[in-house]
Amino acid sequence: MSITYLEAIQAAQDRALAENEFVYIYGQDVGSFGGAFKATKNLAAKYPGRVIDAPISEDAMVGSAIGATAEGMRPILEMQFADFSTIAINQICNQAATQFWRTGIPCPITVRLPSGGTEGGGPFHSQSMEAIYAQYPGLIVLTPATVEDAYSMLLEAVTIDDPVVFCEHKYLYYHLKADQLPDKNLPVGKARIARTGKHATVVTYSAMVHEALRAADTLEEEGWEIEIVDLRSIKPIDTDTVLASVARTGRLLCVSEAFPWGGVNAEVISRVTSEGFHLLDAPPKRLNAKDTPIPFHPNLWKAHRPASQSIASSLRDLLRY
Amino acid sequence: MSITYLEAIQAAQDRALAENEFVYIYGQDVGSFGGAFKATKNLAAKYPGRVIDAPISEDAMVGSAIGATAEGMRPILEMQFADFSTIAINQICNQAATQFWRTGIPCPITVRLPSGGTEGGGPFHSQSMEAIYAQYPGLIVLTPATVEDAYSMLLEAVTIDDPVVFCEHKYLYYHLKADQLPDKNLPVGKARIARTGKHATVVTYSAMVHEALRAADTLEEEGWEIEIVDLRSIKPIDTDTVLASVARTGRLLCVSEAFPWGGVNAEVISRVTSEGFHLLDAPPKRLNAKDTPIPFHPNLWKAHRPASQSIASSLRDLLRY
Amino acid sequence: MAEAKIKGSKNKYCDSESRYRAAFRYMLLARVFEERTANLYRAGKIVGGVFMGKGQEAFSVGLALALDKNRGDVYGPLIRDQAGRLAFGEALLDAARTYLGSIEGPMKAREGNVHRGNIPMGIIPMISHLGSHISVVSGRLIGKRFCGQKDAIGGVCIGDGGTSTGAFHEALNQAAVEKLPLVVAVANNQFAYSTPTDRQFACDDLVDRAIGYGVEGHSIDGTDLSLCLDTFQKAATRAREGYGPQLVIGHLLRLCGHGEHDDASYISEKHKQGVFGRDCVDVAQQYLISSGWSNLAEIEQWTAEIQKEVEKATSCAQRESGPDPFQETWQALATTRLAEGNSTA
Amino acid sequence: MAEAKIKGSKNKYCDSESRYRAAFRYMLLARVFEERTANLYRAGKIVGGVFMGKGQEAFSVGLALALDKNRGDVYGPLIRDQAGRLAFGEALLDAARTYLGSIEGPMKAREGNVHRGNIPMGIIPMISHLGSHISVVSGRLIGKRFCGQKDAIGGVCIGDGGTSTGAFHEALNQAAVEKLPLVVAVANNQFAYSTPTDRQFACDDLVDRAIGYGVEGHSIDGTDLSLCLDTFQKAATRAREGYGPQLVIGHLLRLCGHGEHDDASYISEKHKQGVFGRDCVDVAQQYLISSGWSNLAEIEQWTAEIQKEVEKATSCAQRESGPDPFQETWQALATTRLAEGNSTA
Ligand SMILES: Cc1ncc(C[n+]2csc(CCOP(=O)(O)OP(=O)(O)O)c2C)c(N)n1
Ligand SMILES: Cc1ncc(C[n+]2csc(CCOP(=O)(O)OP(=O)(O)O)c2C)c(N)n1
Ligand SMILES: [Mg+2]
Ligand SMILES: [Mg+2]
C-alpha cells in the first residue's frame, strides 16, 4: 500500500467523521464533488449531511463554524485555496481566536488551508499564510511536511479545543507518498529532527523540509552533515528542539517558502539569538521567497522560492563562515 | 502655537488636498462630521466633493480607491480603526499590493490606520497591524512616532507611487504636541536617532518610542546612556541606521506594541544578527505586548503592552549581561 | 421614507396585556440603566465608551421577547440592545460589571461596555466588526440542527450601517440557503454614526432586500411597541415553523449620540420632529395608560423599583475590584500545553 | 428557473445586422481560441489551468459590445469572458501570450491564463478573489467623475457563485449609493465549480436583488445573442443617461468543466437538455442564417479565417521565449528607492 499526503488528509477527515459525531466538514465543493483537490472524496456519500457545500462566502463559512462549536460541534473548514482565507481573516483572527480569552468558552474549529506554491499557481493560488495567522493570539498554526504528519496532526487538530489553522502544502499533495498511516506520532507542538547532522542546522517546515533534505544530500557529498529540524507547528514553535540542535551544530539556517519580511524565519532566528546566542558559531541565516507576489511562470516560480540549490548554496556560505 | 499629532494629520491632509487636485479622502464619517477622531475636520467644507463619507464597506472602500488611481487619482482612505482593516485586507494585500508587479501600473493609495492601544479600547479598537501588512510584497508601511513625522510622512505617503499603509497611533493623537510643523524632514525610508547613547540601542517605532525615551531617562539616572532608534518606516526598514547604532552600543533591545509572535521585533533582530552578528556584545532582546488580545481594562491594558518600566527593566537585564 | 412603505400591521399575534407590561418594564429598565451609565461615563467612572439604545428599546425588546432561551433560542445583540438583552435574560449586573470593569463580570474586565455575552445562555458576545456575528448565530442554529434540537430559533440585531458589510450579506444569504430559523432585526435608526442612510444604501426600504435573498420581509414603525412585539412574534413563529430567515426592518431614530462622546449635532430637527422621532418609551407608556393596562402611579412605582435595581447593580459593580494583572493567566488558548510563554526573551 | 421569470424582452434597441454579425464573429473567435488553448493544455503546453466560456459567449459579448473603450468605458471581465475581452478590444495575442507564458505578454509571464488586463485600455486585470474587481471598476468611474469625464460607463462580470461574496455586495451597494454608471453582468451558468445554484442562493432569480440595492434589473435568456445585445445596450444607455447601476442576469449553462481539468460529470442531462443548455453559438448561427444576415458559406469562411488567426497568435506566443529569472527585477514597488533588497542575509 502507498498513500499520498492528500490521501492522508482525506483519511484523517474520514476517521474524524467516523469517530466523532460532532465533526462536520464545510467548504466550497467539498460535498459530492469531493473538493477542488479531492481531499473530501467519498466523504459526503459516506457521512450523509455532514459534508456540506458552502456558498462562496468565506466570512460566513468561518462565522457559522464558530457558532456551531458552541453547540458542541467540531467543524472542519476547507478553504479552496489558502489565499482565499483573506476573506475570512476577520472571523478567524478576531472572532475565533479571541473567543476563549474573552469568554472562557473554547472554539474548536479547524481551518484547512491548501497552501504554498505549485507550477502555474500564480499570485493568488500559491500563498503561504502561516505567519499571518501566527501573529494573532489564540490560534494554533500547523504546517505538516510529511504524509504521517498530515494525517496525525489533522486528526489531533480536530481534538484540540482551540482554533487550528492547518496549512497543508499543495505541492506535497501528490508528490509525497508513504507506505502506511501512523498509529501514533509526535504530538502537536513538538518539532522533529528530520535528519541528524553536526555541522549546521536547517530549521524549516512544510514543503521546504524536502528541499532542505535534498540540499543536505548534496552537502553530504561535499563532506558536511546537516541537521534538519522540521518545525511541524509554527505556533507554538518547539524552541527547545531548535535550540538543542543549534547547540549541537553551532550554525543556523532558517528556510521558509513565505515572503521575506518577518514570518517564521525571523521568529526562529529571534528565539535562537535571544535564548541561545552563545550557541552560535556564525551569524544565523535565512532564506525566503522573494519580496514579490508569486509568479505564474514555472521559470520564475522556481527562482522565486527557495529550493535545494539555493539552500545548498546558503549552507555553503554558512559553513564557510 | 502648538499642534498635536492628530492636528498634524489633519493639516497634512489639508495640504495634500490643496496642492494636488487628484487627492480625495474616503472613509466612514470623514465628511462633514470630520471623522471619528476629527482627523478630517473642516476638510469637507473646504474641499467640496473631495472628502466623502463611505458606507460601512471597507472592502469596497479600498477596491474603489484602487480603481480611481488608474484615472490619476491619489486617494487617502481612512479606516475608522486599524482593526477594521481586516475587512479590507484582501483588497490591500492582494489587489493593491500586487498591481504594480502584475501590470507595471502603480497604485498610489494611502490607507490610514488609527492604530494601537488606548485605555478602554479593548481587543477590537487597539490593534497594531503594521507587521501583518509588512509581510505582503508591494506595500510600504509607515509608523510615525512624532508630530513632525505624522505630518511629513503622510504628505510624502500621498506622493509615493505605491500603496502606503499609514499606521498612526491613537494614543499619540492628543498626548503629543509640537511647536510647529516641519518644512522639511527625513524622507520615508530613513530611521531617526531619537536619542543618542552608547551603552545599548533600543530599536522601536510609533508610541513605544516615547516609552523608550522615558525608560532611557530612568536609566540615565542609573548611569547608562541609551540610544534610541525610531524606525519611522517598518517596510522598508532602515537596516543601516540600526546596524550603525548597534555598532556603537553592542547591545540591542527591540520594542513593539504588537503581539509577540513575529513582527517588527523579530525582523529587526534577524537583520541585526544576520548582518551584524559580530557587533553584538550580548544576545539581542525584544519586548512585545503579551500573546493575548488587548484587554479593555486599564489595569490589564497597562500590563499587556510594554511601557517605560518594563523597557527599563529589560534594558537593565541587557546591560547586566 | 414615506409612511406608505410601512408594511407591517398589527395582527394581534401577541399583543397581550402581560406581555406588553413586561416589555415596557424592560424598556424602562434599559433606559434608566443606560442613563446611569452615561452619568458614570461623564463622571469619569467608565472608560472607553458608552453606547445607548435610546429610541430603540421597543424594537430591541420586541425581538428578544419573541425568543425563549429555555427553548434553546439564541440571541445576537449589538450595541443598542440593552433592552433586548435584559428581556432575553442577561442579568443587569452583568451589564453593570462589564461597563464598570469589575473582575466579577462575565468578561472578567478583559472586555468592556457592550462587548459581553453569555455563550451557554445563548447570548453571542459581539465583536466590534459589524455584521460578523450574524453567521455566528447561524452557526449555532446549524449546530442545533446537527444535534437534533429542531425547535430553537435565533434572533440577531444589526443597524442600517451594518447592512453595508460583506459579512451581513454573506450571512443572510447563507442563512437563506440553509433555510435557518433566523430572525434578522435591522434597526434603521437613520444614521450610522454620523452617516445618513442616503450615504449607506439606495433602496427605498431595506426590507426590499428580502426578496433578493429569498427570505420573508417585514417592515415596521420601530417606535411602536405593539407593532414590534407583534411583528417579531409573527416572524419568530414563521421561523420556527420552517419558513426560513425573516428580515425585520424597524424604522426609528437614534435619540442620542453614536456614543456618549458624540453630541449628534448632525441629526436635524426635521429628523427629530419626523415620524420616527418620537420616543418609544413615551409611546408605550401612553398606550399602557390609554388602554387601561397600567397607570401613572404604577409606572412611577416601577420607575422607583428600577432605579433601585440599577443603583444596586452599579454600586455593587463599583464596589467590586478591577482585575489584577498579576492574577491574570495571560493565556489566549484553552489548550494550556500548547500556549507559548509570554517570555520577553 | 421557470421561463416565466425571464423578464427581458427584445426592444430592437440595437439588433442590427452589422452588430449581430460582429458579435457572432467575436463569439466564434473566442470559441475557437479556447478550444485551441484546451488542446494545448491537454498537450501539456499550458501550465496552471484553462478556463473556458463555452456557452456564455453571447452574454459575454453582449456586455462588451455595449461598451466603448474609445469613449473611456471600463471593462472588468472574469474567467469566462474571452468573447467579451476580444469584443472590448483585447488583442488575441495578449491572451495567447498570457496562457502560453510568453515574456512578451501583457503580464510578462508573471501572471497566467485569465489573469490579465490592460489598465490603460480600461481592462481590469482580475485577481482571483471573486467579487473584488467590481469595486475597482467603480473606482475608475469615481475617478472619471472627479476628472470631469462624465460620459464613460463601466461594465463588470461576475458569476452566480460570485454573488455570494461580501465583496459583490459591498461593491454593488457602494455603486448604488454613488449612482455610478455601472453595468453588472451576472452570468448565472447554474454552477459555481460543482456547486449548483440552490446551494448558492435562495431567491427565485438573482435579478430580485436589484430592488434591494435600488438599482435597475434585467433578467434574460443568456443564450440568445439578440436578447443579450439588446439588453446590454439598453442597460448601458440607462447607465450613461444617469439612471445608476444596472444589474443584468443572464441565465445560461456552462457547457464545459469549471476548468479543463474538470469533466463536469455533476452537470445532469436534465440541465444539458434544459432551456439554457443550448449552445449560444449554434443559436446565433441559426439566427444569422434564418434572418438572411449570413449564410453557411460565409460562416465557414469566417471559421477558416479565425482558425488562421488563432493559429497565428498561439504559434507566435509559443515561439516567444518564456521569462528569464535573471532578467527579472524582482521588485514589487514602483518606488525603487524604497524597495528592500531580496538579500537572503
Ligand atoms: C466593519 C466595521 N467597520 C467600522 C466600524 C466602526 N463603527 C462602529 S459603529 C458604526 C456605525 C454603525 O451604524 P449602524 O450599523 O447603523 O448602527 P447604529 O450605531 O446606528 O446602531 C461604525 C462605522 C465597525 N464597528 N465595524
Ligand atoms: C473569494 C473566492 N473564493 C473561492 C474562490 C475559488 N473559486 C474560483 S472560481 C469558483 C467558482 C465560481 O463560480 P461562479 O461565480 O458561478 O463563476 P463560474 O465559474 O460559474 O463562471 C470558486 C469557488 C475564489 N476564486 N474566490
Ligand atoms: Mg444606524
Ligand atoms: Mg457559475
Side-chain angles (χ1 to χ4, degrees), chain B residues 26 28-29 33 36 52-57 80 83-84 86-87 119-120 122-125 260-261 284-287 290-300 303-304 314, chain C residues 47-48 98-99 101 108-113 115 126-130 161-162 164-165 192-196 199-200 262 266 322-325 328 330-332 340 342 344-345:
Chain B
Y26 191 45
Q28 291 141 28
D29 306 294
F33 188 62
I52 309 168
D53 284 338
I56 308 181
S57 301
Q80 201 152 80
D83 316 53
F84 300 130
T86 45
I87 308 298
E119 292 209 342
F124 311 113
H125 291 77
W261 197 103
K285 284 178 76 70
R286 56 180 165 157
L287 197 52
K290 294 197 194 297
D291 198 24
T292 72
I294 299 135
F296 155 78
H297 197 286
N299 290 0
L300 299 180
H304 184 265
S314 282
Chain C
V47 290
T98 308
Y99 261 113
K108 296 193 179 137
R110 293 174 181 178
E111 273 280 29
N113 53 64
H115 294 91
M126 61 169 281
I127 69 167
S128 296
H129 298 69
L130 291 169
S164 300
T165 60
Y193 208 148
S194 75
T195 305
R199 294 294 310 156
Q200 199 68 246
D262 170 26
Y266 46 83
D324 175 355
E328 266 289 318
W330 298 112
Q331 290 280 335
E340 303 213 295
N342 280 297
T344 54

Side-chain angles (χ1 to χ4, degrees), chain B residues 107-311:
Chain B
C107 182
I109 64 172
T110 299
V111 188
R112 291 182 38 235
L113 303 190
S115 302
T118 55
E119 292 209 342
F124 311 113
H125 291 77
S126 304
Q127 291 174 24
S128 297
M129 292 184 59
E130 61 280 349
I132 300 291
Y133 292 106
Q135 286 193 38
Y136 283 90
L139 298 175
I140 288 170
V141 185
L142 308 182
T143 52
T146 67
V147 176
E148 292 81 357
D149 280 353
Y151 180 75
S152 73
M153 288 166 76
L154 182 49
L155 268 175
E156 192 176 345
V158 176
T159 72
I160 288 175
D161 264 348
D162 293 290
V164 176
V165 177
F166 191 83
C167 306
E168 50 195 56
H169 202 292
K170 298 190 298 291
Y171 188 80
L172 303 181
Y173 273 173
Y174 319 100
H175 282 79
L176 213 60
K177 294 197 173 82
D179 287 339
Q180 55 179 51
L181 294 175
D183 274 336
K184 44 191 273 181
N185 198 348
L186 280 180
V188 161
K190 290 278 168 237
R192 178 179 67 99
I193 306 292
R195 177 186 177 118
T196 56
K198 60 184 178 198
H199 296 120
T201 297
V202 177
V203 174
T204 184
Y205 59 98
S206 193
M208 286 296 134
V209 169
H210 306 281
E211 298 294 332
L213 285 167
R214 270 190 287 281
D217 287 343
T218 309
L219 274 276
E220 190 171 33
E221 294 166 20
E222 299 169 21
W224 300 107
E225 292 173 38
I226 307 299
E227 179 146 308
I228 295 175
V229 178
D230 170 7
L231 288 174
R232 299 175 76 244
S233 143
I234 66 114
K235 185 154 189 189
I237 288 176
D238 180 357
T239 317
D240 290 346
T241 299
V242 171
L243 285 172
S245 175
V246 175
R248 286 190 287 276
T249 65
R251 281 177 161 73
L252 173 66
L253 170 67
C254 293
V255 181
S256 160
E257 189 180 325
F259 301 128
W261 197 103
V264 177
N265 285 353
E267 179 62 24
V268 170
I269 289 180
S270 285
R271 292 184 189 208
V272 171
T273 56
S274 295
E275 299 171 38
F277 190 67
H278 58 286
L279 306 173
L280 287 165
D281 300 326
K285 284 178 76 70
R286 56 180 165 157
L287 197 52
N288 282 89
K290 294 197 194 297
D291 198 24
T292 72
I294 299 135
F296 155 78
H297 197 286
N299 290 0
L300 299 180
W301 177 68
K302 285 179 195 146
H304 184 265
R305 75 200 267 268
S308 57
Q309 299 86 335
S310 52
I311 297 171

